[in-house]
Amino acid sequence: MTASPLPFSLGYGTNGFTDHPLPVALDLLAEQGYGAVALTLGHPHLDPFAEDLAEQLQALRKTLGELKLRVVIETGTRFLLDPRHKHRPALVDEEAASRVGFLRRAVDIAAQLEAECVSFFSGVLPDGTSPETGWQRLTERVADVVEYARGKRVLLAVEPEPGMLVETVSDALRLRAALGDPDNLRITVDIGHCVVVEPDGIRGALLEAGPLLANVQLDDMRPHAHEHLPFGEGTVDLPLALGTLAELNYRGVAAVELPRHSYDAPGLAARSIAALGDA
């Protein structure tokens, strides 16, 4: 496939290539015509706490430049901070120092790679925690990361996730307003999530995010089931999604996210970019 005629760059997430070493995955994506990569920090590709991280980042930046791949940083590794509990601790947990520290590290990595943004989520409320307490915790912790990112000139993008405290674009805007609408806090929209939780669907969510849209994830999904699917297996209207992004003159990265499909990564990457071209 030739380069996309759209104003944004099509990418693919490394969390869908976990059986490939990162340099091999990047080569394959560039070979298939992608112009960007969504890099999930953590096992198996880039340990954000590795002793030789500086050397790894220097080599990675060189590779990204040679392959002409834009990059966004994703922070959704399941067991990076707690080997027994997925996505814990979260920003809404009682103790979240390691999560805040990880997001700060992600900001450092983004700065060194000249990444488009760092995408993150709020987390699921712990049992027995009120939404009011969750919002208080979330606002305080995100304020810390926003200030840190400002000093590094890095954009942050909060991602609404089904079942999490920040579940919709409206929730993301509420968080941003509570922090005084900081310019370096934007929004990630996963178009699959939109068919599950967004009241006005994909188009409504993208238009609501509008100029604050800093990162897009592409996948198919069925209503009432938060399961990332290859294009054509759910109810996502892909032409509508891409058309709305073009209408918004979105110029960031829109990356395929299939985190449970590494067993067929090269094939799915090829079929995905073909489906995006058709759409």
Side-chain angles (χ1 to χ4, degrees):
M1 178 179 172
T2 57
S4 168
L6 296 165
F8 50 90
S9 294
L10 297 175
Y12 203 95
T14 61
N15 61 359
F17 264 88
T18 57
D19 291 322
H20 289 73
L22 182 57
V24 175
L26 297 178
D27 279 338
L28 286 170
L29 293 177
E31 177 184 290
Q32 293 182 356
Y34 288 94
V37 61
L39 175 61
T40 296
L41 301 182
H43 180 80
H45 290 138
L46 184 66
D47 178 0
F49 305 109
E51 291 185 1
D52 65 340
L53 180 62
E55 290 79 6
Q56 289 189 52
L57 291 176
Q58 185 176 12
L60 178 54
R61 180 169 174 175
K62 182 173 183 290
T63 298
L64 292 169
E66 290 172 347
L67 296 175
K68 296 180 173 58
L69 290 173
R70 299 169 71 180
V71 61
V72 297
I73 301 298
E74 295 285 352
T75 58
T77 315
R78 295 183 182 93
F79 295 100
L80 178 67
L81 304 179
D82 185 333
R84 294 175 179 83
H85 303 98
K86 184 175 74 171
H87 297 322
R88 296 294 183 184
L91 291 170
V92 293
D93 285 344
E94 183 175 1
E95 298 295 334
S98 62
R99 175 64 59 177
V100 172
F102 167 51
L103 291 178
R104 281 175 165 239
R105 180 62 61 93
V107 167
D108 292 337
I109 291 169
Q112 292 182 62
L113 293 179
E114 296 185 345
E116 313 273 325
C117 68
V118 173
S119 185
F120 70 100
F121 46 65
S122 63
V124 177
L125 278 179
D127 291 341
T129 302
S130 69
E132 292 76 17
T133 297
W135 275 103
Q136 180 181 1
R137 292 172 180 172
L138 178 66
T139 304
E140 291 174 356
R141 277 86 180 252
V142 174
D144 177 288
V145 181
V146 164
E147 188 61 28
Y148 186 78
R150 180 179 291 113
K152 299 284 184 173
R153 297 183 179 179
V154 169
L155 277 182
L156 300 171
V158 59
E159 179 188 359
E161 287 264 4
M164 293 192 178
L165 185 62
V166 174
E167 187 174 57
T168 65
V169 170
S170 291
D171 295 331
L173 293 173
R174 172 185 171 183
L175 172 63
R176 195 171 182 274
L179 293 166
D181 294 318
D183 184 61
N184 68 324
L185 179 59
R186 310 288 178 88
I187 297 174
T188 292
V189 170
D190 183 315
I191 64 170
H193 298 170
C194 295
V195 304
V196 180
V197 296
E198 291 290 350
D200 296 316
I202 293 171
R203 180 171 171 79
L206 292 173
L207 292 177
E208 188 175 14
L212 296 177
L213 191 63
N215 186 36
V216 176
Q217 297 169 353
L218 303 171
D219 48 77
D220 212 338
M221 207 167 284
R222 302 185 186 102
H224 315 302
H226 182 193
E227 180 184 1
H228 292 242
L229 301 171
F231 299 126
E233 296 186 13
T235 62
V236 164
D237 187 333
L238 192 55
L240 175 66
L242 299 183
T244 304
L245 290 174
E247 179 183 333
L248 288 168
N249 198 30
Y250 174 66
R251 295 184 175 273
V253 170
V256 178
E257 186 175 49
L258 294 173
R260 294 181 175 86
H261 292 77
S262 291
Y263 62 86
D264 188 24
L268 272 170
R271 293 194 295 277
S272 295
I273 202 163
L276 289 164
D278 290 343

Short mmCIF file of all heavy atoms in Angstrom, two decimals, residues 12-18 22 26 29 37-48 60 71-80 87 99 102 106 109 113 117-119 121 159 215 217 255-259:
data_model
loop_
_atom_site.label_atom_id
_atom_site.label_comp_id
_atom_site.label_asym_id
_atom_site.label_seq_id
_atom_site.Cartn_x
_atom_site.Cartn_y
_atom_site.Cartn_z
N TYR A 12 0.62 1.22 13.92
CA TYR A 12 0.26 -0.08 14.49
C TYR A 12 0.91 -0.16 15.87
O TYR A 12 2.03 0.31 16.08
CB TYR A 12 0.78 -1.22 13.61
CG TYR A 12 0.05 -2.53 13.76
CD1 TYR A 12 -1.00 -2.87 12.91
CD2 TYR A 12 0.40 -3.44 14.75
CE1 TYR A 12 -1.68 -4.07 13.03
CE2 TYR A 12 -0.26 -4.65 14.89
CZ TYR A 12 -1.31 -4.96 14.03
OH TYR A 12 -1.98 -6.16 14.16
N GLY A 13 0.21 -0.79 16.82
CA GLY A 13 0.69 -0.87 18.18
C GLY A 13 1.63 -2.04 18.42
O GLY A 13 1.36 -3.16 17.98
N THR A 14 2.71 -1.80 19.13
CA THR A 14 3.67 -2.87 19.42
C THR A 14 3.08 -3.92 20.36
O THR A 14 3.62 -5.03 20.45
CB THR A 14 4.96 -2.32 20.03
OG1 THR A 14 4.67 -1.64 21.26
CG2 THR A 14 5.66 -1.36 19.07
N ASN A 15 2.00 -3.57 21.07
CA ASN A 15 1.38 -4.59 21.93
C ASN A 15 0.70 -5.68 21.11
O ASN A 15 0.22 -6.68 21.66
CB ASN A 15 0.41 -3.97 22.93
CG ASN A 15 -0.74 -3.22 22.29
OD1 ASN A 15 -0.85 -3.14 21.06
ND2 ASN A 15 -1.61 -2.66 23.10
N GLY A 16 0.64 -5.52 19.80
CA GLY A 16 0.16 -6.56 18.90
C GLY A 16 1.29 -7.30 18.21
O GLY A 16 1.05 -8.10 17.29
N PHE A 17 2.53 -7.05 18.66
CA PHE A 17 3.72 -7.70 18.08
C PHE A 17 4.62 -8.26 19.19
O PHE A 17 5.85 -8.20 19.08
CB PHE A 17 4.51 -6.70 17.23
CG PHE A 17 4.20 -6.74 15.77
CD1 PHE A 17 3.17 -5.98 15.24
CD2 PHE A 17 4.94 -7.54 14.90
CE1 PHE A 17 2.88 -5.99 13.89
CE2 PHE A 17 4.66 -7.57 13.54
CZ PHE A 17 3.63 -6.79 13.03
N THR A 18 4.03 -8.83 20.22
CA THR A 18 4.83 -9.24 21.39
C THR A 18 5.65 -10.50 21.16
O THR A 18 6.45 -10.87 22.03
CB THR A 18 3.94 -9.42 22.62
OG1 THR A 18 2.91 -10.38 22.33
CG2 THR A 18 3.30 -8.10 23.03
N LEU A 22 11.53 -5.87 19.03
CA LEU A 22 11.08 -4.55 18.59
C LEU A 22 11.69 -4.12 17.26
O LEU A 22 10.95 -3.66 16.38
CB LEU A 22 11.38 -3.51 19.68
CG LEU A 22 10.92 -2.09 19.38
CD1 LEU A 22 9.42 -2.03 19.11
CD2 LEU A 22 11.27 -1.16 20.54
N LEU A 26 9.36 -3.18 13.97
CA LEU A 26 9.41 -1.88 13.31
C LEU A 26 9.73 -2.02 11.82
O LEU A 26 9.13 -1.34 10.98
CB LEU A 26 10.45 -0.98 13.99
CG LEU A 26 10.16 -0.62 15.45
CD1 LEU A 26 11.29 0.22 16.02
CD2 LEU A 26 8.83 0.10 15.60
N LEU A 29 6.58 -3.20 10.02
CA LEU A 29 5.55 -2.17 9.89
C LEU A 29 5.92 -1.16 8.81
O LEU A 29 5.07 -0.76 8.00
CB LEU A 29 5.35 -1.47 11.24
CG LEU A 29 4.74 -2.34 12.34
CD1 LEU A 29 4.65 -1.57 13.64
CD2 LEU A 29 3.36 -2.85 11.93
N VAL A 37 4.18 4.24 14.77
CA VAL A 37 4.09 3.11 15.69
C VAL A 37 3.61 3.62 17.04
O VAL A 37 3.99 4.72 17.48
CB VAL A 37 5.45 2.39 15.83
CG1 VAL A 37 6.52 3.32 16.37
CG2 VAL A 37 5.34 1.15 16.70
N ALA A 38 2.73 2.85 17.67
CA ALA A 38 2.32 3.13 19.05
C ALA A 38 3.12 2.18 19.93
O ALA A 38 2.89 0.97 19.92
CB ALA A 38 0.81 2.91 19.21
N LEU A 39 4.07 2.72 20.67
CA LEU A 39 5.02 1.93 21.44
C LEU A 39 4.54 1.76 22.87
O LEU A 39 4.50 2.72 23.65
CB LEU A 39 6.39 2.62 21.42
CG LEU A 39 7.49 2.01 22.27
CD1 LEU A 39 7.80 0.59 21.84
CD2 LEU A 39 8.75 2.88 22.22
N THR A 40 4.17 0.53 23.23
CA THR A 40 3.76 0.23 24.60
C THR A 40 5.00 -0.08 25.42
O THR A 40 5.75 -1.01 25.10
CB THR A 40 2.79 -0.96 24.64
OG1 THR A 40 1.58 -0.60 23.96
CG2 THR A 40 2.43 -1.33 26.08
N LEU A 41 5.21 0.67 26.49
CA LEU A 41 6.38 0.47 27.34
C LEU A 41 6.23 -0.79 28.18
O LEU A 41 5.13 -1.11 28.65
CB LEU A 41 6.57 1.69 28.26
CG LEU A 41 6.76 3.03 27.55
CD1 LEU A 41 6.99 4.13 28.59
CD2 LEU A 41 7.93 2.98 26.57
N GLY A 42 7.32 -1.49 28.37
CA GLY A 42 7.31 -2.69 29.20
C GLY A 42 7.63 -3.93 28.39
O GLY A 42 8.00 -3.86 27.21
N HIS A 43 7.49 -5.09 29.04
CA HIS A 43 7.80 -6.36 28.41
C HIS A 43 6.96 -6.56 27.15
O HIS A 43 5.76 -6.26 27.17
CB HIS A 43 7.50 -7.50 29.40
CG HIS A 43 7.78 -8.86 28.87
ND1 HIS A 43 9.04 -9.39 28.81
CD2 HIS A 43 6.96 -9.80 28.33
CE1 HIS A 43 9.00 -10.59 28.29
NE2 HIS A 43 7.73 -10.87 27.98
N PRO A 44 7.53 -7.04 26.05
CA PRO A 44 8.92 -7.49 25.89
C PRO A 44 9.82 -6.49 25.16
O PRO A 44 10.96 -6.82 24.87
CB PRO A 44 8.73 -8.74 25.02
CG PRO A 44 7.64 -8.34 24.07
CD PRO A 44 6.71 -7.46 24.88
N HIS A 45 9.32 -5.28 24.86
CA HIS A 45 10.03 -4.44 23.90
C HIS A 45 10.94 -3.38 24.50
O HIS A 45 12.06 -3.21 24.06
CB HIS A 45 9.02 -3.78 22.96
CG HIS A 45 8.38 -4.75 22.03
ND1 HIS A 45 7.03 -4.73 21.74
CD2 HIS A 45 8.90 -5.79 21.33
CE1 HIS A 45 6.75 -5.71 20.89
NE2 HIS A 45 7.86 -6.36 20.63
N LEU A 46 10.47 -2.62 25.46
CA LEU A 46 11.29 -1.54 26.01
C LEU A 46 10.99 -1.40 27.50
O LEU A 46 9.95 -0.85 27.88
CB LEU A 46 11.00 -0.21 25.29
CG LEU A 46 11.88 0.97 25.72
CD1 LEU A 46 13.34 0.73 25.35
CD2 LEU A 46 11.40 2.28 25.09
N ASP A 47 11.89 -1.90 28.32
CA ASP A 47 11.74 -1.82 29.77
C ASP A 47 12.06 -0.39 30.20
O ASP A 47 13.20 0.06 30.08
CB ASP A 47 12.70 -2.81 30.45
CG ASP A 47 12.64 -2.75 31.96
OD1 ASP A 47 11.86 -1.94 32.52
OD2 ASP A 47 13.39 -3.50 32.61
N PRO A 48 11.06 0.35 30.71
CA PRO A 48 11.31 1.75 31.07
C PRO A 48 12.25 1.91 32.26
O PRO A 48 12.71 3.02 32.54
CB PRO A 48 9.91 2.28 31.39
CG PRO A 48 9.13 1.08 31.79
CD PRO A 48 9.66 -0.05 30.96
N LEU A 60 17.01 3.34 19.42
CA LEU A 60 15.63 3.33 18.94
C LEU A 60 15.31 4.61 18.18
O LEU A 60 14.65 4.56 17.13
CB LEU A 60 14.68 3.16 20.13
CG LEU A 60 13.18 3.18 19.81
CD1 LEU A 60 12.82 2.14 18.75
CD2 LEU A 60 12.38 2.95 21.09
N VAL A 71 6.04 8.28 16.34
CA VAL A 71 5.84 7.41 17.50
C VAL A 71 5.00 8.10 18.55
O VAL A 71 5.13 9.31 18.79
CB VAL A 71 7.19 6.95 18.10
CG1 VAL A 71 8.03 8.14 18.57
CG2 VAL A 71 6.98 5.96 19.23
N VAL A 72 4.08 7.33 19.14
CA VAL A 72 3.38 7.75 20.35
C VAL A 72 3.71 6.72 21.42
O VAL A 72 3.98 5.56 21.13
CB VAL A 72 1.84 7.83 20.15
CG1 VAL A 72 1.49 8.90 19.13
CG2 VAL A 72 1.26 6.49 19.73
N ILE A 73 3.69 7.15 22.67
CA ILE A 73 4.00 6.28 23.80
C ILE A 73 2.71 5.83 24.47
O ILE A 73 1.89 6.66 24.87
CB ILE A 73 4.90 6.99 24.83
CG1 ILE A 73 6.22 7.43 24.18
CG2 ILE A 73 5.15 6.10 26.04
CD1 ILE A 73 7.06 6.30 23.65
N GLU A 74 2.54 4.52 24.59
CA GLU A 74 1.39 3.93 25.27
C GLU A 74 1.85 3.33 26.60
O GLU A 74 2.95 2.77 26.68
CB GLU A 74 0.74 2.86 24.40
CG GLU A 74 0.14 3.37 23.11
CD GLU A 74 -1.18 4.10 23.31
OE1 GLU A 74 -1.70 4.08 24.44
OE2 GLU A 74 -1.71 4.68 22.34
N THR A 75 0.99 3.42 27.60
CA THR A 75 1.39 3.00 28.96
C THR A 75 0.46 1.92 29.51
O THR A 75 0.33 1.79 30.72
CB THR A 75 1.39 4.22 29.90
OG1 THR A 75 0.09 4.83 29.89
CG2 THR A 75 2.43 5.25 29.46
N GLY A 76 -0.14 1.13 28.63
CA GLY A 76 -1.14 0.16 29.06
C GLY A 76 -0.62 -1.23 29.35
O GLY A 76 -1.40 -2.19 29.36
N THR A 77 0.69 -1.38 29.61
CA THR A 77 1.22 -2.69 29.96
C THR A 77 0.48 -3.25 31.17
O THR A 77 0.29 -2.56 32.17
CB THR A 77 2.72 -2.59 30.30
OG1 THR A 77 3.35 -1.78 29.31
CG2 THR A 77 3.37 -3.95 30.33
N ARG A 78 0.08 -4.51 31.09
CA ARG A 78 -0.84 -5.05 32.10
C ARG A 78 -0.19 -5.28 33.47
O ARG A 78 -0.77 -4.98 34.50
CB ARG A 78 -1.45 -6.36 31.59
CG ARG A 78 -2.34 -6.19 30.36
CD ARG A 78 -2.97 -7.52 29.97
NE ARG A 78 -3.79 -7.40 28.78
CZ ARG A 78 -3.36 -7.63 27.54
NH1 ARG A 78 -2.10 -7.99 27.35
NH2 ARG A 78 -4.15 -7.50 26.51
N PHE A 79 1.01 -5.85 33.50
CA PHE A 79 1.58 -6.29 34.77
C PHE A 79 2.95 -5.67 35.05
O PHE A 79 3.76 -6.25 35.77
CB PHE A 79 1.68 -7.82 34.80
CG PHE A 79 0.34 -8.51 34.76
CD1 PHE A 79 -0.15 -9.04 33.58
CD2 PHE A 79 -0.44 -8.61 35.91
CE1 PHE A 79 -1.39 -9.66 33.54
CE2 PHE A 79 -1.68 -9.23 35.88
CZ PHE A 79 -2.16 -9.77 34.70
N LEU A 80 3.20 -4.50 34.51
CA LEU A 80 4.51 -3.87 34.67
C LEU A 80 4.80 -3.50 36.12
O LEU A 80 5.91 -3.71 36.61
CB LEU A 80 4.59 -2.61 33.79
CG LEU A 80 5.89 -1.81 33.90
CD1 LEU A 80 7.04 -2.61 33.32
CD2 LEU A 80 5.76 -0.47 33.16
N HIS A 87 -2.85 -3.80 35.63
CA HIS A 87 -3.00 -2.34 35.62
C HIS A 87 -2.98 -1.72 37.03
O HIS A 87 -3.49 -0.60 37.23
CB HIS A 87 -4.29 -1.92 34.91
CG HIS A 87 -4.34 -2.30 33.47
ND1 HIS A 87 -3.24 -2.25 32.63
CD2 HIS A 87 -5.37 -2.74 32.69
CE1 HIS A 87 -3.59 -2.63 31.42
NE2 HIS A 87 -4.86 -2.95 31.42
N ARG A 99 2.72 4.29 40.00
CA ARG A 99 2.06 4.65 38.74
C ARG A 99 2.47 6.05 38.31
O ARG A 99 2.78 6.29 37.13
CB ARG A 99 0.54 4.57 38.90
CG ARG A 99 -0.27 5.04 37.70
CD ARG A 99 -0.08 4.20 36.47
NE ARG A 99 -0.44 2.80 36.67
CZ ARG A 99 -0.41 1.87 35.71
NH1 ARG A 99 -0.06 2.20 34.47
NH2 ARG A 99 -0.72 0.61 35.99
N PHE A 102 5.98 5.88 37.08
CA PHE A 102 6.03 5.28 35.75
C PHE A 102 5.62 6.28 34.67
O PHE A 102 6.26 6.38 33.62
CB PHE A 102 5.12 4.05 35.71
CG PHE A 102 4.84 3.51 34.34
CD1 PHE A 102 5.87 3.25 33.45
CD2 PHE A 102 3.54 3.26 33.93
CE1 PHE A 102 5.62 2.74 32.17
CE2 PHE A 102 3.27 2.76 32.67
CZ PHE A 102 4.31 2.51 31.79
N ALA A 106 7.67 7.63 31.53
CA ALA A 106 7.15 7.62 30.17
C ALA A 106 7.33 8.99 29.51
O ALA A 106 7.63 9.08 28.31
CB ALA A 106 5.68 7.21 30.17
N ILE A 109 10.91 9.31 28.45
CA ILE A 109 11.15 8.53 27.23
C ILE A 109 10.58 9.25 26.01
O ILE A 109 11.21 9.32 24.96
CB ILE A 109 10.54 7.12 27.40
CG1 ILE A 109 11.34 6.34 28.44
CG2 ILE A 109 10.50 6.38 26.06
CD1 ILE A 109 10.69 5.04 28.86
N LEU A 113 12.58 10.46 22.63
CA LEU A 113 12.23 9.92 21.31
C LEU A 113 11.50 10.95 20.45
O LEU A 113 11.18 10.65 19.30
CB LEU A 113 11.35 8.68 21.47
CG LEU A 113 11.98 7.45 22.10
CD1 LEU A 113 10.97 6.32 22.20
CD2 LEU A 113 13.22 6.99 21.31
N CYS A 117 3.03 12.05 21.84
CA CYS A 117 2.35 12.21 23.12
C CYS A 117 2.59 10.96 23.97
O CYS A 117 3.11 9.95 23.48
CB CYS A 117 0.84 12.42 22.94
SG CYS A 117 -0.03 10.98 22.31
N VAL A 118 2.20 11.05 25.23
CA VAL A 118 2.13 9.91 26.14
C VAL A 118 0.66 9.67 26.46
O VAL A 118 -0.02 10.55 27.01
CB VAL A 118 2.91 10.16 27.44
CG1 VAL A 118 2.66 9.03 28.45
CG2 VAL A 118 4.40 10.30 27.16
N SER A 119 0.15 8.49 26.10
CA SER A 119 -1.24 8.16 26.35
C SER A 119 -1.35 7.35 27.64
O SER A 119 -0.53 6.47 27.91
CB SER A 119 -1.79 7.36 25.17
OG SER A 119 -3.17 7.10 25.32
N PHE A 121 -4.41 6.07 31.06
CA PHE A 121 -5.80 5.93 31.47
C PHE A 121 -5.94 6.14 32.97
O PHE A 121 -4.95 6.16 33.71
CB PHE A 121 -6.38 4.58 31.06
CG PHE A 121 -5.49 3.40 31.38
CD1 PHE A 121 -5.20 3.06 32.68
CD2 PHE A 121 -4.95 2.64 30.36
CE1 PHE A 121 -4.39 1.98 32.99
CE2 PHE A 121 -4.13 1.56 30.65
CZ PHE A 121 -3.85 1.23 31.97
N GLU A 159 -6.91 8.55 27.96
CA GLU A 159 -7.76 7.68 27.15
C GLU A 159 -8.96 7.19 27.95
O GLU A 159 -8.80 6.50 28.96
CB GLU A 159 -6.97 6.46 26.66
CG GLU A 159 -7.83 5.51 25.84
CD GLU A 159 -7.15 4.20 25.50
OE1 GLU A 159 -5.98 4.01 25.90
OE2 GLU A 159 -7.79 3.36 24.84
N ASN A 215 -4.39 11.59 19.98
CA ASN A 215 -3.99 10.21 19.72
C ASN A 215 -5.25 9.41 19.41
O ASN A 215 -6.29 9.60 20.04
CB ASN A 215 -3.27 9.63 20.94
CG ASN A 215 -2.70 8.26 20.72
OD1 ASN A 215 -2.23 7.93 19.63
ND2 ASN A 215 -2.72 7.43 21.74
N GLN A 217 -6.72 5.37 18.47
CA GLN A 217 -6.49 3.93 18.37
C GLN A 217 -7.59 3.33 17.49
O GLN A 217 -8.76 3.69 17.61
CB GLN A 217 -6.49 3.28 19.76
CG GLN A 217 -5.35 3.80 20.64
CD GLN A 217 -5.50 3.39 22.08
OE1 GLN A 217 -6.52 2.82 22.48
NE2 GLN A 217 -4.49 3.68 22.88
N ALA A 255 -3.38 4.58 15.24
CA ALA A 255 -2.68 3.30 15.22
C ALA A 255 -3.62 2.14 15.54
O ALA A 255 -4.45 2.22 16.46
CB ALA A 255 -1.53 3.32 16.23
N VAL A 256 -3.48 1.07 14.79
CA VAL A 256 -4.23 -0.16 15.03
C VAL A 256 -3.82 -0.73 16.39
O VAL A 256 -2.62 -0.80 16.70
CB VAL A 256 -3.96 -1.19 13.92
CG1 VAL A 256 -4.70 -2.49 14.19
CG2 VAL A 256 -4.33 -0.61 12.56
N GLU A 257 -4.81 -1.12 17.18
CA GLU A 257 -4.50 -1.70 18.50
C GLU A 257 -5.18 -3.07 18.63
O GLU A 257 -6.40 -3.16 18.84
CB GLU A 257 -4.94 -0.79 19.65
CG GLU A 257 -4.47 -1.36 20.97
CD GLU A 257 -4.76 -0.46 22.16
OE1 GLU A 257 -5.91 -0.01 22.29
OE2 GLU A 257 -3.83 -0.22 22.96
N LEU A 258 -4.38 -4.12 18.51
CA LEU A 258 -4.87 -5.49 18.64
C LEU A 258 -3.97 -6.24 19.62
O LEU A 258 -3.13 -7.07 19.24
CB LEU A 258 -4.88 -6.19 17.27
CG LEU A 258 -5.87 -5.62 16.25
CD1 LEU A 258 -5.66 -6.27 14.88
CD2 LEU A 258 -7.32 -5.84 16.73
N PRO A 259 -4.12 -5.96 20.92
CA PRO A 259 -3.17 -6.46 21.92
C PRO A 259 -3.24 -7.95 22.21
O PRO A 259 -2.38 -8.47 22.93
CB PRO A 259 -3.53 -5.64 23.16
CG PRO A 259 -4.97 -5.29 22.99
CD PRO A 259 -5.14 -5.08 21.52
#
